[in-house]
Amino acid sequence: MMLVKLGGSVITDKVRYRTFREEVLSRLVDEITSAQKEIILVHGAGSFGHIIAAQHQLQHGFSDISQIAGVAKVMEDVRELDLKVLKVLNLGGLPSVSLPPSAVASLRCGELDDLNVEMFRRYLELGMCPVTFGDVVLDRERRFGICSGDQLMERLAREFRPERVIFCSDVDGVFTADPARDPDAELIETVSRETLDALPRTKRCADVTGSIFGKLETMMRIASWGGDAIVLNGGIPGRLEAALRGETVVGSKVVSGTV
Ligand code: IPE
């Protein structure tokens, strides 16, 4: 089984509120269907989630009743994005079912607490592709919080021990320096604890669920339980499909058994 996250920066324009990239998603779905693998799919929220979540400071949990309208709006928007994703998947020939975190997950102090994994398992057994996504969910301490796609990836990887865990991003992977500013920046093909600790910490655009460093820490934990974890550029045709087929692709990989 393969576990794939389509990042919000790939399937939406992250800086323009609710801008869906339908052609990119259709192409990625074609790549998924041609690889013919059993899949659990997670997608990010992109501009359907982050912009309003940041305006209402939803990532820190409840502080004011005025946030509740923001909670409902983000839930509505990410469901709308999810429905668009689901339609493309079903149309592409991959029968899919949506499992919204607001209904099947809850947090405790911002950490993923409950997730109805049984539901994912049973839909997989039925021959369907379970789809879940970054959402606002209940938090036992903070009343609500943001459950990111990466938190879901980590839990699903721990439960299902997939062959490969693939994160589709809008960059080729992790670089030694910011490639937009430094022409000598090099792609790190294999990430180890040492390379991760040595990376310069910079922050790109507003994101309520953390940066590439958080993702790499997640990938380190995932690779320590089993399959390789890889981050690749989902904007470049063919890379996701190659990764699903088990081929070597341009990207940054945390190799299982090395952490
Ligand atoms: C964010 O999920 C969820 C909300 C802001 C509601 P992700 O962190 O997985 O989304 P992307 O991939 O960064 O867009």
Side-chain angles (χ1 to χ4, degrees):
M1 198 273 291
M2 300 282 183
L3 179 61
V4 177
K5 180 183 172 194
L6 303 180
S9 56
V10 184
I11 62 167
T12 79
D13 178 338
K14 253 189 133 160
V15 292
R16 285 165 56 214
Y17 181 52
R18 286 166 40 123
T19 310
F20 178 51
R21 290 184 166 149
E22 187 164 358
E23 290 102 83
V24 175
L25 181 72
S26 303
R27 197 244 315 140
L28 289 167
V29 168
D30 284 347
E31 294 190 28
I32 291 173
T33 44
S34 7
Q36 294 189 312
K37 297 277 181 179
E38 188 180 49
I39 282 189
I40 295 181
L41 195 70
V42 176
H43 65 81
S47 55
F48 287 70
H50 286 283
I51 296 172
I52 303 279
Q55 276 168 13
H56 292 269
Q57 290 292 292
L58 303 187
Q59 70 274 31
H60 305 306
F62 182 86
S63 58
D64 193 285
I65 195 74
S66 68
Q67 291 174 298
I68 301 304
V71 167
K73 186 61 186 151
V74 172
M75 284 173 166
E76 177 194 326
D77 287 348
V78 293
R79 287 259 189 148
E80 198 170 307
L81 173 64
D82 182 61
L83 192 59
K84 290 177 190 292
V85 172
L86 210 72
K87 282 184 176 160
V88 177
L89 286 165
N90 285 334
L91 207 72
L94 195 67
S96 300
V97 53
S98 181
L99 296 169
S102 57
V104 297
S106 71
L107 302 175
R108 185 183 291 275
C109 274
E111 302 291 326
L112 185 55
D113 191 22
D114 300 320
L115 178 69
N116 191 338
V117 179
E118 174 69 9
M119 203 80 106
F120 285 79
R121 202 180 303 281
R122 289 173 59 193
Y123 279 116
L124 262 186
E125 281 166 11
L126 200 61
M128 296 184 80
C129 169
V131 181
T132 191
F133 51 90
D135 199 356
V136 185
V137 307
L138 292 170
D139 188 303
R140 288 184 203 281
E141 303 291 332
R142 302 177 182 168
R143 303 187 68 188
F144 65 77
I146 304 265
C147 176
S148 73
D150 287 9
Q151 285 172 296
L152 294 159
M153 289 289 280
E154 184 171 345
R155 175 63 62 88
L156 291 166
R158 202 175 81 194
E159 296 290 338
F160 289 92
R161 304 290 160 118
E163 227 171 288
R164 251 187 173 184
V165 179
I166 303 166
F167 291 85
C168 292
S169 161
D170 62 342
V171 288
D172 284 352
V174 191
F175 288 82
T176 49
D178 184 350
R181 286 183 210 166
D182 186 343
D184 295 329
E186 280 174 25
L187 181 69
I188 305 170
E189 287 173 14
T190 306
V191 183
S192 64
R193 170 51 52 198
E194 292 71 41
T195 45
L196 176 54
D197 290 344
L199 286 175
R201 309 254 152 171
T202 49
K203 194 158 168 35
R204 287 197 318 151
C205 75
D207 189 324
V208 293
T209 53
S211 61
I212 186 80
F213 301 103
K215 187 185 296 300
L216 285 170
E217 294 291 351
T218 305
M219 288 170 64
M220 287 275 164
R221 287 190 292 276
I222 290 173
S224 73
W225 302 319
D228 296 346
I230 178 162
V231 54
L232 54 78
N233 193 338
I236 309 286
R239 289 198 186 161
L240 173 61
E241 184 173 345
L244 286 168
R245 292 187 188 278
E247 294 164 12
T248 305
V249 286
V250 177
S252 296
K253 187 152 97 168
V254 183
V255 180
S256 98
T258 59
V259 284

